[in-house]
Amino acid sequence: MSGTFKTESPFTRALIAGALAGTTVDLSLYPIDTLKTRLQSSAGFSASGGFRGIYAGVGSAVIGSAPGAALFFVTYEATKTYLHSYVRSPQTAQWVDPLTHMAAASLGEVAACAVRVPTEVVKQRAQAVQFRSSFAALQAILARRGVVGVGGVWKELYRGWSVTVLREVPFTVIQFPLWEALKEWRRRRTGRDGISAGESALFGSVAGAVAAGVTTPLDVLKTRMMLAREKVGAGEMAGRMLRDGGMGVFFKGMGPRVVWISVGGAVFLGSYQWAFNAMGGV
């Protein structure tokens, strides 16, 4: 790729690099994601498939990964560029930069959830062996149109939207400012303008692990809402979980989640930086 495709547009670089990064990380770490989902399922790990069929639902991940990640990075880079142009100055950089990265990452996650939530709903139902494949899970949702109408189908596909955004925004508000701060620290230490893919991968791994551990309770709540047979609000579901399993239930699957996102952060942000650099970015 290097030397064969250069572009001056940071948004084109973000679009292509983001799509590549999203697809790479989701497919390479899919089995860990499946095990995490099954650990968090109210049906229990074994009843939800155990170690069998760990690529169940991978079709929805293949379809949703690239556009979801591309939407995130295009929004992230556009917001960051805009805020740096109109808000940042040498005098304010120390406190404006972290706030800029938080705002840009938050808006990027909201945009990405337009693709991510329906993908997650379909994928997790297949992962928990509620359906034999992601296509069967999608068919079952679409088949309800005659009963609940188009609006009902839309709501089912976006079940857990609010709690997903509630999980993703705190996650990214921790991960991306930390990743950016580590990159800036490295640039100052080396005197270089750019960051290598390996450095970005290392910093992405550290930032991802920290963010994953902190936001595990929200991830468990999101998974339970998406797998529930009937639609349940976040408050009601959290109350049920607390009554049935105590506080410990909110940390189910924390180990696989931290490992998955730590490795995923390295693959995701490392491959993003590699593609971004290869297209002329720094």
Side-chain angles (χ1 to χ4, degrees):
M1 185 174 181
S2 181
T4 61
F5 179 70
K6 302 282 185 179
T7 175
E8 294 300 317
S9 169
F11 307 116
T12 301
R13 288 196 293 265
L15 178 71
I16 297 173
L20 175 67
T23 302
T24 301
V25 70
D26 283 353
L27 294 185
S28 61
L29 299 177
Y30 193 84
I32 301 176
D33 181 40
T34 299
L35 296 178
K36 184 267 302 181
T37 296
R38 291 173 178 178
L39 281 168
Q40 293 177 346
S41 172
S42 59
F45 181 71
S46 297
S48 297
F51 290 99
R52 304 183 307 276
I54 55 177
Y55 277 94
V58 72
S60 58
V62 170
I63 293 170
S65 296
L71 261 176
F72 171 83
F73 275 111
V74 167
T75 306
Y76 178 75
E77 294 291 347
T79 304
K80 190 170 72 169
T81 300
Y82 176 82
L83 292 176
H84 276 170
S85 299
Y86 290 96
V87 179
R88 189 178 188 269
S89 69
Q91 293 75 31
T92 62
Q94 188 172 4
W95 62 270
V96 165
D97 282 355
L99 294 177
T100 295
H101 298 147
M102 289 179 187
S106 297
L107 290 175
E109 286 296 352
V110 172
C113 279
V115 174
R116 185 177 298 145
V117 172
T119 300
E120 285 273 300
V121 168
V122 170
K123 179 192 75 174
Q124 290 196 324
R125 291 181 185 184
Q127 285 177 323
V129 200
Q130 292 182 358
F131 298 93
R132 68 181 182 277
S133 67
S134 53
F135 183 66
L138 178 61
Q139 280 185 313
I141 293 172
L142 297 179
R144 299 188 62 195
R145 186 179 62 177
V147 179
V148 298
V150 174
V153 169
W154 184 266
K155 288 180 181 179
E156 188 67 15
L157 283 170
Y158 281 89
R159 186 195 286 194
W161 162 273
S162 59
V163 75
T164 302
V165 172
L166 188 64
R167 177 198 67 175
E168 295 295 350
V169 169
F171 176 88
T172 201
V173 160
I174 297 169
Q175 183 188 33
F176 272 79
L178 182 54
W179 176 60
E180 294 279 11
L182 289 169
K183 290 200 300 178
E184 182 58 30
W185 169 80
R186 183 60 178 170
R187 278 191 285 261
R188 288 198 304 268
R189 291 269 299 189
T190 61
R192 291 187 277 113
D193 290 332
I195 292 292
S196 71
E199 291 166 337
S200 179
L202 175 61
F203 301 149
S205 177
V206 172
V210 172
V214 172
T215 58
T216 294
L218 292 171
D219 185 56
V220 177
L221 178 60
K222 185 269 305 179
T223 299
R224 291 292 182 93
M225 289 177 67
M226 287 184 171
L227 294 180
R229 294 293 182 182
E230 74 284 355
K231 188 172 182 178
V232 182
E236 182 182 349
M237 179 59 76
R240 287 185 190 178
M241 290 166 61
L242 197 58
R243 286 194 304 272
D244 296 343
M247 283 300 298
V249 74
F250 287 94
F251 293 92
K252 280 194 171 184
M254 183 175 179
R257 174 171 163 80
V258 170
V259 171
W260 167 50
I261 293 180
S262 177
V263 177
V267 175
F268 185 57
L269 295 173
S271 58
Y272 175 79
Q273 196 73 51
W274 173 80
F276 197 81
N277 291 351
M279 289 183 284
V282 293

